[in-house]
Amino acid sequence: MANIQISDALLVKDYVSGDERALATLIKRHESKIYGFIYSKISDRDVSNDIFQDTFIKVIKTLKTSSYNEEGKFLPWVMRIAHNLIIDHFRKAKKMPLFRETEEFSIFSIMSDDSLTIENKIIAEQVEMDIRKLIEGLPADQKEVLTMRMYQDISFKEISELTGVSINTALGRMRYALMNLRKIIEKNQIVLTN
Amino acid sequence: MEKNYSKKSKITKKMKPDAAVVSFLLNYSKALKIVKIEGQFFEIIVN
């Protein structure tokens, strides 16, 4: 018995009239060509599946709104939709490049988390606290200059104006403050590293 | 033996989308109703 194949145009007509089986036949008939076409451009199975799905969602919506006219053929029309979606995919990919993990390339080589771990954070806070305690032990004039410079980010020129001493004196006080801090640290063998 | 230097085609003979994709499309089609009200289309997904 001869196997008579119903034309695409007739299947489309049946589908628009509400025969859901017609869509299954159309997909089965053309899935290989359409998917193969998409895969030939994309070379990624998952993305190709997504584009195939989006293509047929457009097909379904267009047919259900009865805005499809059988001027051209069904397959070239679907291929054109797929082609446009492929172009959209590459446009998006260009805007937001996708990095895939391979044997030679690890995503972590360009991505790192520089923030401190909880342990390092606690250590940093401890060091900060120790330094503040050490500063408290400095003579008042040295403490004043060091605090203004390091914690308030005031220039030596401004410090000299605010404290009523010359820049050289302010610089000298800073120098002595640092030397004294070093001495205390060495003497007490305080570890101030993270 | 002679080497074949021709480029391999990316399209294998029977490349098909995943069965899950086709199944989704058929179910989506069954569930989708589009109604036109005053010149505007409204999509209704019926579960």
Side-chain angles (χ1 to χ4, degrees):
Chain A
M1 205 176 94
N3 191 8
I4 304 160
Q5 189 174 282
I6 307 165
S7 70
D8 287 351
L10 201 62
L11 284 168
V12 169
K13 207 178 155 195
D14 286 350
Y15 178 65
V16 172
S17 312
D19 183 3
E20 291 291 333
R21 286 171 306 169
L23 179 72
T25 312
L26 282 167
I27 292 176
K28 204 172 166 53
R29 188 178 287 175
H30 300 299
E31 63 179 1
S32 182
K33 273 184 194 159
I34 297 162
Y35 186 81
F37 168 70
I38 297 166
Y39 187 80
S40 71
K41 309 281 180 209
I42 303 286
S43 304
D44 182 298
R45 282 208 75 105
D46 292 335
V47 180
S48 299
N49 271 317
D50 286 349
I51 293 177
F52 182 88
Q53 186 175 296
D54 290 347
T55 303
F56 269 93
I57 284 174
K58 278 206 168 185
V59 168
I60 290 165
K61 281 185 182 174
T62 310
L63 293 179
K64 291 226 174 193
T65 50
S66 309
S67 45
Y68 171 73
N69 53 358
E70 187 61 43
E71 273 176 8
K73 295 261 168 61
F74 176 75
L75 183 61
W77 172 60
V78 181
M79 288 290 219
R80 209 161 49 241
I81 294 172
H83 180 254
N84 289 339
L85 288 173
I86 291 165
I87 292 170
D88 287 351
H89 165 77
F90 281 118
R91 277 200 194 125
K92 270 186 218 160
K94 207 178 168 188
K95 274 186 197 165
M96 198 188 287
L98 180 74
F99 294 104
R100 293 225 167 206
E101 183 108 2
T102 61
E103 273 180 32
E104 299 91 41
F105 172 75
S106 165
I107 192 75
F108 294 108
S109 67
I110 56 160
M111 229 177 81
S112 63
D113 182 9
D114 293 331
S115 60
L116 293 174
T117 61
I118 291 175
E119 192 189 348
N120 287 342
K121 238 183 203 172
I122 293 168
I123 295 170
E125 280 169 15
Q126 188 65 51
V127 169
E128 181 74 29
M129 234 158 68
D130 289 346
I131 292 172
R132 280 186 182 270
K133 271 186 206 163
L134 293 175
I135 292 167
E136 284 303 312
L138 289 172
D141 54 348
Q142 293 171 21
K143 190 174 99 180
E144 188 183 31
V145 174
L146 190 135
T147 314
M148 283 171 129
R149 182 72 198 111
M150 302 311 288
Y151 290 101
Q152 293 159 26
D153 203 26
I154 302 172
S155 70
F156 281 109
K157 189 172 180 280
E158 286 166 324
I159 293 171
S160 74
E161 284 164 7
L162 289 165
T163 53
V165 295
S166 69
I167 294 179
N168 278 339
T169 308
L171 283 164
R173 284 177 182 172
M174 182 71 180
R175 189 167 163 264
Y176 281 114
L178 293 175
M179 278 166 63
N180 284 330
L181 281 178
R182 275 198 200 104
K183 264 187 211 165
I184 304 166
I185 289 164
E186 276 167 24
K187 195 180 163 192
N188 298 296
Q189 292 184 320
I190 302 165
V191 180
L192 293 171
T193 49
N194 198 340
Chain B
M1 207 172 95
E2 261 183 56
K3 278 184 181 173
N4 185 5
Y5 289 102
S6 62
K7 219 177 174 184
K8 267 189 188 173
S9 171
K10 278 178 186 169
I11 312 164
T12 53
K13 272 183 186 171
K14 281 282 171 193
M15 286 221 70
K16 282 183 177 181
D18 287 354
V21 172
V22 177
S23 168
F24 165 81
L25 287 166
L26 296 176
N27 288 327
Y28 173 77
S29 169
K30 278 177 199 162
L32 181 71
K33 298 272 174 281
I34 297 182
V35 284
K36 194 179 180 184
I37 301 166
E38 293 177 7
Q40 281 200 314
F41 289 105
F42 292 90
E43 290 175 17
I44 304 160
I45 301 281
V46 187
N47 280 319

